[in-house]
Amino acid sequence: MSKKILVTGGIGYIGSHTVVELLQQNFEVFIVDNLSNSHISVLEGIEKITGKKPHFTKLDLVNKLAVEQYFTKHHDIDAVIHFAALKSVNESVAEPLKYYQNNLGSLINLLSNMISLKLNYLVFSSSCTIYGQPDRLPVNEEAPKKTPLSPYGNTKQIAEEIILDTINANDFIKAISLRYFNPIGSHPSSLIGELPLGIPNNLVPYVTQTAAGIRQQLKVYGNDYNTSDGTCIRDYINVVDLAKAHVVAVNRLLENKTKENFEVFNLGTGKGYSVLDVIKAFEKVSKKKLNYAFTERRSGDVEQVWADATKANKVLGWKAEIGLEETMLSAWNWEKKYRGI
Ligand code: NAD
Ligand code: UD1
């Protein structure tokens, strides 16, 4: 019998790529998503890639009663992967309560039902944002958490604490928190990818939309940082590599291989690339010149951060495989296909 995995936020960017990997590994997938930042057509892409249909329920995880009813019906779920969250840093600064309510309310509802159903396993989407500007690079899981730069970042820190406290009080629950660095790119089929609503905040969709003629010019936020070329450095990880790590994490839980009830892993490549490196990689693979200009720094940006992913490499046996150029090509192919270019 295949194991039943509940994927919250499974229509979103990282969730949909993970659903594909889970279906390809013969898990039975149950998606809940309120479609607040995603489109139902993503389901078609998932089905085209895998030839399989995940179960889908439109559900707002903040709605306590609806979540209880869902779990009453689906009491035999084996594990949960919790992606559902709002993720815009700027919006979280303008509307903090919306972020605390959505990101923490949904987690609390989920955990309450896990307790009452004695559901054991949770994989949680965390972020490198909790390290702020680390004192040492590359940053490992032991690094101290820094004061969050935004309410969004704070929801990730608090969420990890909520999960830990819940596990301490209910030792049948085991969780793995995956701290993502900068997920980019799309599935090689170009049937699913990153679909930001409105004007993108993140670098790569801004790059591809500029090249596609939807945005006029990319603004590079700052060229006076203390880095090799003056622009910020990040650890850009291919979304398919990232998705695969979730399958490994779920198997680790299901096979009872965890060493602690709450485990934390950095998911990154271990390499830092500057904004200009990303632009150069894009120009090379797309054979297009990108229109960009330097502007002032963006407030809240850390100068440089990249992962020490040794723990994930050794303990999970997972490693990011796909390089920056191939990833930028996948992002460009997705943009072209989506725009019909
Ligand atoms: P996304 O917005 O594409 O996907 C999130 C999905 O959750 C969306 O489909 C949205 O409709 C859904 N959702 C939000 N609130 C919900 C609710 N209350 N009930 C039901 N569904 C809800 O985002 P993503 O990039 O796929 O991110 C997935 C997770 O990874 C998030 O928790 C995010 O904070 C985290 N993360 C993302 C990044 C990144 O750069 N993309 C980096 C670090 C961590
Ligand atoms: C941002 C969030 C972070 C979140 C992550 C994933 C901030 C301060 N941080 O990370 O909390 O976890 O997204 O959603 O918003 N850049 C440009 N021009 C652009 C866009 C970006 O130069 O138009 C630069 C940025 O200055 C940065 C790099 O590109 O140096 C990457 O930016 P982005 O994709 O927004 O990710 P982060 O800032 O790392």
Side-chain angles (χ1 to χ4, degrees):
M1 275 273 284
S2 35
K3 295 284 185 188
K4 295 183 161 75
I5 313 296
L6 173 63
V7 182
T8 76
I11 304 294
Y13 173 46
I14 307 170
S16 58
H17 287 81
T18 302
V19 167
V20 164
E21 298 302 317
L22 288 166
L23 291 171
Q24 287 175 338
Q25 298 298 316
N26 294 321
F27 286 101
E28 188 173 356
V29 176
F30 295 76
I31 299 175
V32 297
D33 199 305
N34 65 357
L35 305 179
S36 58
N37 195 38
S38 52
H39 199 271
I40 192 64
S41 61
V42 168
L43 267 183
E44 285 165 34
I46 292 172
E47 285 174 40
K48 274 192 195 145
I49 297 168
T50 62
K52 293 178 186 171
K53 223 181 162 89
H55 306 272
F56 172 73
T57 305
K58 185 171 178 211
L59 180 77
D60 186 349
L61 286 160
V62 176
N63 183 336
K64 194 166 181 259
L65 188 63
V67 178
E68 271 168 22
Q69 284 169 346
Y70 183 86
F71 276 103
T72 307
K73 198 168 159 205
H74 301 280
H75 50 82
D76 53 352
I77 295 285
D78 294 292
V80 181
I81 308 182
H82 182 43
F83 291 104
L86 296 171
K87 63 165 181 177
S88 160
V89 172
N90 292 343
E91 189 186 48
S92 81
V93 173
E95 295 182 74
L97 296 182
K98 181 174 166 184
Y99 274 66
Y100 289 117
Q101 187 174 43
N102 190 75
N103 294 5
L104 300 180
S106 57
L107 175 68
I108 291 167
N109 284 340
L110 201 56
L111 288 168
S112 310
N113 283 278
M114 287 182 67
I115 293 169
S116 42
L117 285 176
K118 291 256 174 317
L119 209 165
N120 304 96
Y121 304 125
L122 174 71
V123 177
F124 176 68
S125 296
S126 190
S127 168
C128 70
T129 184
I130 66 176
Y131 298 122
Q133 178 59 65
D135 303 324
R136 269 190 243 150
L137 287 166
V139 62
N140 69 23
E141 293 81 354
E142 306 300 317
K145 293 179 187 169
K146 294 280 175 74
T147 307
L149 293 169
S150 69
Y152 164 74
N154 205 18
T155 67
K156 293 297 172 192
Q157 281 202 15
I158 299 171
E160 286 198 358
E161 286 164 13
I162 291 175
I163 295 169
L164 185 57
D165 289 343
T166 305
I167 289 173
N168 286 337
N170 304 274
D171 64 2
F172 60 90
I173 299 183
K174 296 184 196 315
I176 295 181
S177 183
L178 300 175
R179 294 177 178 164
Y180 314 153
F181 282 66
N182 286 54
I184 61 167
S186 95
H187 193 269
S189 63
S190 302
L191 290 166
I192 54 172
E194 189 169 12
L195 252 186
L197 297 179
I199 302 172
N201 291 311
N202 294 111
L203 176 63
V204 172
Y206 212 105
V207 166
T208 56
Q209 289 194 13
T210 304
I214 294 149
R215 312 281 154 213
Q216 220 191 345
Q217 186 181 57
L218 171 77
K219 293 189 180 70
V220 175
Y221 298 131
N223 61 347
D224 56 352
Y225 284 100
N226 188 21
T227 60
S228 53
D229 61 24
T231 65
C232 292
I233 293 177
R234 297 287 184 275
D235 186 334
Y236 295 94
I237 173 165
N238 183 286
V239 68
V240 176
D241 275 338
L242 187 69
K244 287 181 175 161
H246 292 76
V247 180
V248 178
V250 156
N251 278 325
R252 180 172 173 83
L253 288 166
L254 292 170
E255 291 163 13
N256 252 314
K257 287 186 178 156
T258 49
K259 300 275 186 292
E260 289 162 286
N261 287 352
F262 184 57
E263 293 185 333
V264 174
F265 295 97
N266 280 348
L267 294 183
T269 65
K271 290 193 202 84
Y273 287 105
S274 72
V275 177
L276 288 180
D277 289 333
V278 172
I279 294 172
K280 274 184 219 141
F282 174 79
E283 289 183 330
K284 184 172 170 199
V285 297
S286 68
K287 301 182 180 66
K288 280 178 88 80
K289 195 94 199 82
L290 191 75
N291 182 14
Y292 68 90
F294 296 113
T295 71
E296 66 279 13
R297 295 177 177 197
R298 178 170 72 176
S299 85
D301 264 342
V302 304
E303 181 176 89
Q304 40 189 324
V305 61
W306 66 95
D308 179 342
T310 312
K311 187 177 173 198
N313 299 162
K314 287 196 174 148
V315 179
L316 296 180
W318 167 91
K319 203 171 188 325
E321 306 276 354
I322 308 168
L324 182 64
E325 288 182 6
E326 188 178 339
T327 303
M328 292 307 292
L329 184 59
S330 74
W332 179 228
N333 285 341
W334 158 249
E335 187 77 55
K336 282 195 294 183
K337 179 148 181 171
Y338 186 70
R339 307 286 169 193
I341 300 172

